[in-house]
Amino acid sequence: MDMNGGRKRNMKGHVVVISYPATGHTNPMLQFSKNLASRGVIVTFVNFNLNHRKVIQARESLQRLKLDIRFECIPDGLPEDDSTLDSNINPAVFKHMQDNMDGSGLERLIHRLHASGDTPPVCCIIYNSFLPWVRDVANKLNIPQALFWTQSAAVFSIYQHFQNGEGLDCGRMPQNVIIPGLPELKLTDLPSAFMETSGSINYYLGQLEVVKDASWVIANTVYELEPETINSLRSTSLPFLPIGPSIPTSFLQDQNAEDTQVGANPWKAADCMGWLNKKPPLSVVYISFGSILVISDEQIQELAVGIQQSGQNFLWVIRAPPGHDHIAEVLPAGFMEETKERGLVVDWCAQLEVLSHPSVGVFMSHCGWNSTLDALSLGVPMLTLGVWTDQPTNSKFVTDVWKTGLRMRRRDDGIVGRDETERCIRMAMESEEGKQLRNNGLKWRELLKSSASEGGSSHSNLNAFAQEIISKAK
Ligand code: UDX
C-alpha cells in the first residue's frame, strides 16, 4: 500500500534513521520512517542490542504496508543478559549512550551498507538529540544530517534560549521567564531540569549543540499548535520542519485504514477493547504515565483512593514500581476487589486505540509529548500531572494555551492528593467546564487531522523533505 494516497513513486533516496532506545523516541521516529518510506524513500532504521528485539516486532506491520524499511543493529557495549538495563527506566543507560558510546559501530554499518550495493548510498542521517556522537559520524563521512526533535517547539525554544547562558545556575533562576514566541512562563512551567541542582540541565542544553551541523531540524509537532514559537525559531534561519503528529496515519486520515500501529511495544499490550465496549460513551477515565516515569508508592495510593472516590469507570496502565513484583502490592488494600466492576488495571495497552474508543471521556496523563499529541490527535481532554523533563511545559500548554486540560494541583510535598484527584475527575467527567475542554479538544483534533492530510502543513513538510532527499540521490 502507498500510505500517501495511492500514488507510486520511484524509490531513490536512502536515509539512515537512528533513535535513542526508548519508546518515547523510537515510536515517533519509526512512524516518521514509515511516512518517508510511503513517499518513496528507502529507510535503514538502526537499533542497539538493548532494544533491537523489541523494535523489530514492527516488521510484521511494515510488511503488511509493503514499506521498504530495513532494520540494523549496532553494538551498545552494554551487558546483554542484564534485564534491569531496560532503556525505558534505567538512567544509567541514558548516561552510557551520551558519555561512553562513540560512532564506530554506526560508521562500520554505513561502510557495510555502501559496500553491499543493496541500497543506494546513504544521503542523510537522521538522529535524535540524545545520541550526540552521530553528528561526528555524519561529518566524518560527509553525509548530510538532520536532527529529529521528539518534543515540542516550545521546549526546543526554551533550551535554545538558555543554551548560551554560560554556567547556568539553576539555583538562581528567575521566577518568570520571557522568551520570544512563547507565553510568559513561570519557573515551574519550564522543563524539570531547570529546577534540579544536579547539573542535568547541561545534558539538555548540550543536546542542541548538534543543530549547528544539521541541515534540518525535523520536529514531531504541528505548525498550527505552536505557530508563534515556530515562526520565531524560523526567523533565526533555523531549518525547523514540523511534521507531526507522528502517529499511525489511520488515526488522522480516513483513507489509510491499514496503518494502525507503530508495532514496537516495550511490553505486551493488553486487549482492552472488549472491556471498553461494555462501558457507556464518555464514561471511562483512561490513566497512563508513559513508559519511563516511576511514581512513588504514596502517589499511587493517593491516586487510587481519589479514582475510587470519584465513582467513575477507569482503565489504568500501571506497572509494579521497582522493589515490587506486582502492582497490587502498592495499591491500597481491597482496591482491586472493590473496583473490579468498574476498573481495569493493565501493564500496557494500545494507547491510540484506547483513546479512540467512544467510552473514553478523559485522559489522566504525565504529559509526555507523545501522549500529549495522542490526546490532541484524538480530541480527548486531559488531566495533567507533568513532573519530569518536558512534562511541566506540555502541561502548561495543554491547560493554558490549548485549553483542553485541567492541571492536577500538588500539595506542598509534591503529591497530588486523593481529594484533588477526585475533584479533577469529577470536573472533567461531570461539569460544563469538562464539556468545554472536550469541545476544545475536538477542534484540535480537526486541525491536526487537516495538517496530516493532503495540502496540510505537516503533510506538505513531509513531502518537501522526501522530495529533497530523493533529489539528493539523483
Ligand atoms: C519520554 C518522556 O517521559 C516524555 O516526557 C518525553 O516527551 C518523551 O520521552 P514517555 O514517558 O514514554 O516518554 O511518554 P510519551 O512521550 O507519552 O510516550 C509514550 C508512548 O507510548 C506513546 O507513543 C504512547 O502512545 C505509547 N503508549 C503508552 C502505549 O502505546 N501504551 C501505553 O500503555 C502507554
Side-chain angles (χ1 to χ4, degrees):
M1 184 195 71
D2 179 342
M3 294 186 336
N4 194 32
R7 270 177 291 160
K8 295 257 182 287
R9 291 172 168 84
N10 292 331
M11 300 190 65
K12 288 187 187 116
H14 176 204
V15 298
V16 159
V17 178
I18 178 163
S19 161
Y20 180 78
T23 307
H25 302 261
T26 47
N27 271 7
M29 292 186 79
L30 199 45
Q31 183 60 37
F32 168 70
S33 301
K34 288 162 64 182
N35 294 341
L36 279 189
S38 74
R39 287 165 169 81
V41 175
I42 301 169
V43 180
T44 296
F45 196 90
V46 181
N47 302 312
F48 300 89
N49 298 122
L50 196 63
N51 68 336
H52 188 57
R53 260 183 302 142
K54 282 179 184 164
V55 177
I56 58 172
Q57 297 164 11
R59 263 189 194 149
E60 209 179 293
S61 57
L62 295 175
Q63 274 159 2
R64 226 183 24 245
L65 298 173
K66 299 194 175 60
L67 295 175
D68 196 349
I69 300 182
R70 297 138 194 240
F71 290 95
E72 294 283 350
C73 177
I74 59 173
D76 50 35
L78 292 164
E80 292 202 11
D81 50 358
D82 185 347
S83 62
T84 66
L85 281 180
D86 185 327
S87 52
N88 275 314
I89 51 175
N90 193 322
V93 173
F94 177 77
K95 202 160 161 37
H96 175 82
M97 288 282 161
Q98 298 259 316
D99 297 347
N100 301 350
M101 281 203 59
D102 64 25
S104 53
L106 178 63
E107 196 181 327
R108 277 197 303 277
L109 169 69
I110 293 175
H111 282 308
R112 178 162 63 75
L113 293 174
H114 286 172
S116 78
D118 284 348
T119 44
V122 176
C123 57
C124 184
I125 304 181
I126 303 164
Y127 65 109
N128 67 353
S129 52
F130 294 138
L131 302 173
W133 38 267
V134 180
R135 173 197 198 181
D136 303 330
V137 177
N139 285 341
K140 185 169 172 194
L141 301 180
N142 205 17
I143 299 174
Q145 52 185 285
L147 175 71
F148 189 97
W149 183 250
T150 52
Q151 301 178 15
S152 70
V155 170
F156 186 96
S157 198
I158 294 168
Y159 288 139
Q160 194 190 48
H161 180 79
F162 288 101
Q163 198 191 6
N164 299 324
E166 288 281 304
L168 182 74
D169 180 354
C170 284
R172 306 177 68 174
M173 284 288 293
Q175 285 306 307
N176 293 298
V177 178
I178 309 239
I179 299 175
L182 292 175
E184 184 169 333
L185 298 172
K186 293 200 189 95
L187 179 55
T188 48
D189 297 327
L190 299 187
S192 61
F194 286 99
M195 309 276 281
E196 292 164 12
T197 46
S198 61
S200 65
I201 189 65
N202 296 319
Y203 278 115
Y204 290 98
L205 298 183
Q207 62 182 329
L208 262 58
E209 269 295 302
V210 297
V211 168
K212 290 179 187 149
D213 288 337
S215 303
W216 303 270
V217 178
I218 298 165
N220 184 21
T221 184
V222 180
Y223 178 78
E224 286 75 5
L225 277 179
E226 311 186 85
E228 287 94 6
T229 314
I230 293 170
N231 290 343
S232 171
L233 287 169
R234 282 181 173 164
S235 70
T236 61
S237 309
L238 187 82
F240 196 87
L241 206 63
I243 53 79
S246 204
I247 62 172
T249 50
S250 66
F251 295 99
L252 296 162
Q253 303 168 1
D254 302 330
Q255 70 269 33
N256 288 333
E258 283 174 57
D259 182 25
T260 55
Q261 49 177 312
V262 179
N265 276 312
W267 298 279
K268 194 173 168 357
D271 182 358
C272 309
M273 289 302 124
W275 185 87
L276 284 169
N277 286 342
K278 293 194 195 116
K279 302 293 173 213
L282 302 178
S283 74
V284 175
V285 184
Y286 169 60
I287 307 147
S288 172
F289 306 121
S291 65
I292 300 182
L293 197 65
V294 177
I295 55 176
S296 68
D297 293 8
E298 185 184 358
Q299 181 62 88
I300 293 172
Q301 285 152 10
E302 287 298 310
L303 290 173
V305 177
I307 291 164
Q308 195 167 1
Q309 283 174 186
S310 78
Q312 302 285 342
N313 296 322
F314 67 91
L315 167 53
W316 192 353
V317 175
I318 188 159
R319 296 164 296 280
H324 299 279
D325 292 328
H326 196 277
I327 188 62
E329 294 168 22
V330 185
L331 291 167
F335 176 83
M336 292 291 232
E337 183 56 28
E338 286 158 27
T339 59
K340 68 173 192 258
E341 295 301 321
R342 58 190 175 82
L344 182 63
V345 178
V346 299
D347 281 347
W348 191 252
C349 71
Q351 177 159 295
L352 285 157
E353 275 179 40
V354 166
L355 288 172
S356 307
H357 197 284
S359 297
V360 172
V362 71
F363 178 13
M364 185 189 294
S365 170
H366 69 318
C367 273
W369 183 237
N370 297 287
S371 292
T372 303
L373 286 178
D374 289 353
L376 290 164
S377 302
L378 276 318
V380 179
M382 297 172 89
L383 297 176
T384 74
L385 193 137
V387 268
W388 179 61
T389 178
D390 57 336
Q391 298 154 14
T393 316
N394 301 337
S395 167
K396 160 80 183 167
F397 274 75
V398 167
T399 54
D400 295 348
V401 179
W402 302 319
K403 298 191 191 305
T404 178
L406 289 174
R407 194 192 305 242
M408 300 175 76
R409 291 191 298 239
R410 292 169 190 290
R411 303 185 310 221
D412 290 345
D413 62 0
I415 299 275
V416 175
R418 56 190 66 187
D419 294 339
E420 172 66 358
T421 304
E422 179 189 353
R423 181 188 77 83
C424 289
I425 293 176
R426 285 192 187 280
M427 195 175 250
M429 300 293 275
E430 297 167 3
S431 77
E432 275 307 308
E433 191 178 346
K435 264 192 211 143
Q436 190 53 49
L437 296 176
R438 179 162 310 108
N439 289 340
N440 292 346
L442 292 173
K443 284 184 205 147
W444 288 115
R445 168 163 169 73
E446 287 314 309
L447 273 173
L448 267 54
K449 275 179 77 175
S450 55
S451 85
S453 303
E454 190 86 45
S457 57
S458 290
H459 194 277
S460 305
N461 287 341
L462 276 164
N463 283 352
F465 181 72
Q467 277 311 312
E468 207 169 334
I469 291 297
I470 290 168
S471 69
K472 272 188 194 304
K474 279 180 184 156

